[in-house]
Amino acid sequence: MRARFPPFTIDSETRQLSRTDRRDPDVHLSPKAFDLLCLLVQHRPKVLDKQMLHAQIWPDTYVGDATLNVLIGEIRKAIDDNVREPRFIRTVHGVGYAFCGDVSDADASPRDARTMLCWLTWKGTTFRLEEGDNVIGRAPRCAVFLDVDGVSRRHANIHIEVEPRVVTLEDLGSTNGTFIGRTRVTAPATLQDDDRIKIASVELRVRLWASEDGPKTKRIGRRT
């Protein structure tokens, strides 16, 4: 199973949990916590009762509910979930837990993956953009997380429409403005491949490929 619940992707075969809004994409979970998260995602939005979870996670060992609660707490911390306002893990008191976040199949071949590949690059870091809204800012949950002075918490947004193939940039009322090259963005502006977005001291390079083949490789002359 490979499933995506932005900004996270979980892969049960490689046993990896990753996120797209940080320079270090790997998210660490203990083996039992990873197994528990996989179960919840696989059976979403069904509520899994504690008895069933115990049988799946500890098939040959008796453990109390406190141990299960510890694993749920570990998962919530890893995916920035809040027990009072859950985005991903819902507690059903007296019964068990359910995964309540929006999930898509990361193994599928959606049309945006085949016909519109979009990403930003900055100092060797690549930010893959998804169809829909991709907020750029200093808030950790932004799709493009920039922990840089002068960047607003929610600075700008890149919106991707697959049909028609349109990618637009909009400033979100930032303190220091958003620029394409030297032009300040005052209304939604269409982005092109190789545009340079300037946010505070950060210059992001836009890459847009309209097919899996992408642009042709440039031939580099060799010195003799």
Side-chain angles (χ1 to χ4, degrees), residues 36-54 57-58 64-76 81-83 86 88-101:
L36 176 55
L37 179 57
C38 284
L39 276 174
L40 293 171
V41 172
Q42 286 175 335
H43 293 277
R44 66 188 186 278
K46 180 180 177 181
V47 178
L48 301 185
D49 63 61
K50 294 181 180 180
Q51 184 177 358
M52 182 271 194
L53 292 174
H54 280 295
I57 305 298
W58 299 278
D65 287 347
T67 304
L68 180 60
N69 294 340
V70 169
L71 291 187
I72 290 292
E74 180 185 346
I75 293 171
R76 282 183 170 139
D81 206 24
N82 188 327
V83 64
F88 301 120
I89 307 295
R90 181 169 65 93
T91 301
V92 182
H93 295 288
V95 181
Y97 302 94
F99 194 90
C100 58

Side-chain angles (χ1 to χ4, degrees), residues 94-200:
V95 181
Y97 302 94
F99 194 90
C100 58
D102 293 329
V103 179
S104 60
D105 184 359
D107 281 327
S109 297
R111 58 188 180 178
D112 62 322
R114 297 193 306 269
T115 62
M116 180 68 77
L117 300 175
C118 310
W119 68 97
L120 304 176
T121 61
W122 173 53
K123 290 185 176 181
T125 300
T126 298
F127 301 96
R128 175 69 185 270
L129 306 181
E130 304 291 343
E131 183 178 359
D133 291 325
N134 300 266
V135 176
I136 305 170
R138 199 160 42 85
R141 292 185 178 179
C142 288
V144 181
F145 172 52
L146 301 176
D147 189 14
V148 177
D149 290 342
V151 177
S152 298
R153 291 183 62 80
R154 289 173 56 86
H155 196 108
N157 181 60
I158 293 178
H159 185 78
I160 298 174
E161 286 284 350
V162 175
E163 292 184 4
R165 296 176 180 175
V166 177
V167 180
T168 55
L169 173 68
E170 182 179 7
D171 184 79
L172 298 179
S174 65
T175 301
N176 294 306
T178 302
F179 297 80
I180 301 176
R182 296 183 179 181
T183 304
R184 185 161 187 161
V185 176
T186 57
T190 302
L191 290 173
Q192 305 294 334
D193 181 50
D194 210 34
D195 276 345
R196 307 303 168 103
I197 300 173
K198 188 71 178 296
I199 293 178

